Structures are given as C-alpha cells and as structure tokens.
C-alpha cells in the first residue's frame, strides 16, 4: 500500500469522525418511567440534558422509589439513543456495531 494513500485515508477518517461527533451531539432521546412521571433526556453522547419530575413523584417518605424511577428513565433514554445511533450510523460502523 502506498503510504501517501494511507495518510489520505486517515485524513478522511478524521473528517468523518468529526462529522459523526457533531451529529451525535444533535441526536436526543427522552426516556420515561413510572407512567411518564419521570423523564430523562440524553444527547447522542449519552449526556443528560434534561430531567423532568412530575410533582406527583416527589414524596419525601419514598426517596428510594424516586431514585429507581430516575435510573429507569435514564436506561430507557440510553436504549433509545443506542437505537438511533445504530439506525443513523450503522452502515458506517460496519463491524463496530457491537460497541454501540
């Protein structure tokens, strides 16, 4: 293989990666739990961008339930983001899909 062609390929891969990172920041998904009383929104980088709690779920006597609902909503949002990434970037990822 020509080393100059290899360097061109690396440069193209870097540009593609930068584009993917930009697009990931724009993907969002909201997960919910407890019949939609807890909502968590994540971006494509799995960063939590919003948390909404319905006043019904705020009971100082049952903090453990609220914690469980937040975790469940977060997991729901993560699964949705992973699906969105697979749908959007699946063909580009090729054999790397198991990592997402």
């Amino acid at each position: 293989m020509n080393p100059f062609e290899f360097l061109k390929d690396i440069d193209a891969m870097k540009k593609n990666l930068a584009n993917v990172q930009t697009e990931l920041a724009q993907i969002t998904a909201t997960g919910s739990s407890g019949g939609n009383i807890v909502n968590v929104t994540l971006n494509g980088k799995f960063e939590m961008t919003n948390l909404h709690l319905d006043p019904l779920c705020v009971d100082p006597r049952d903090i453990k339930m609220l914690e469980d609902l937040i975790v469940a909503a977060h997991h729901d949002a993560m699964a949705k983001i992973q699906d969105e990434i697979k749908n959007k970037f699946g063909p580009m990822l090729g054999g790397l899909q198991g990592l997402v």
Side-chain angles (χ1 to χ4, degrees), residues 9-69:
D9 289 343
I10 289 176
D11 190 42
M13 288 172 49
K14 284 181 184 178
K15 288 178 184 176
N16 284 340
L17 182 58
N19 290 338
V20 167
Q21 289 176 335
T22 299
E23 289 185 45
L24 283 175
Q26 296 173 7
I27 294 172
T28 62
T30 300
S32 64
S33 65
N36 234 14
I37 62 173
V38 174
N39 294 294
V40 171
T41 302
L42 302 179
N43 66 19
K45 294 180 180 182
F46 297 97
E47 299 167 333
M48 188 183 304
T49 59
N50 191 34
L51 170 65
H52 174 74
L53 304 174
D54 187 301
L56 292 174
C57 72
V58 182
D59 182 353
R61 296 169 294 165
D62 200 358
I63 298 296
K64 180 64 179 146
M65 181 193 71
L66 180 56
E67 292 169 344
D68 290 344
L69 288 170

Side-chain angles (χ1 to χ4, degrees), residues 68-79:
D68 290 344
L69 288 170
I70 291 170
V71 170
H74 188 270
H75 284 225
D76 187 39
M78 282 182 53

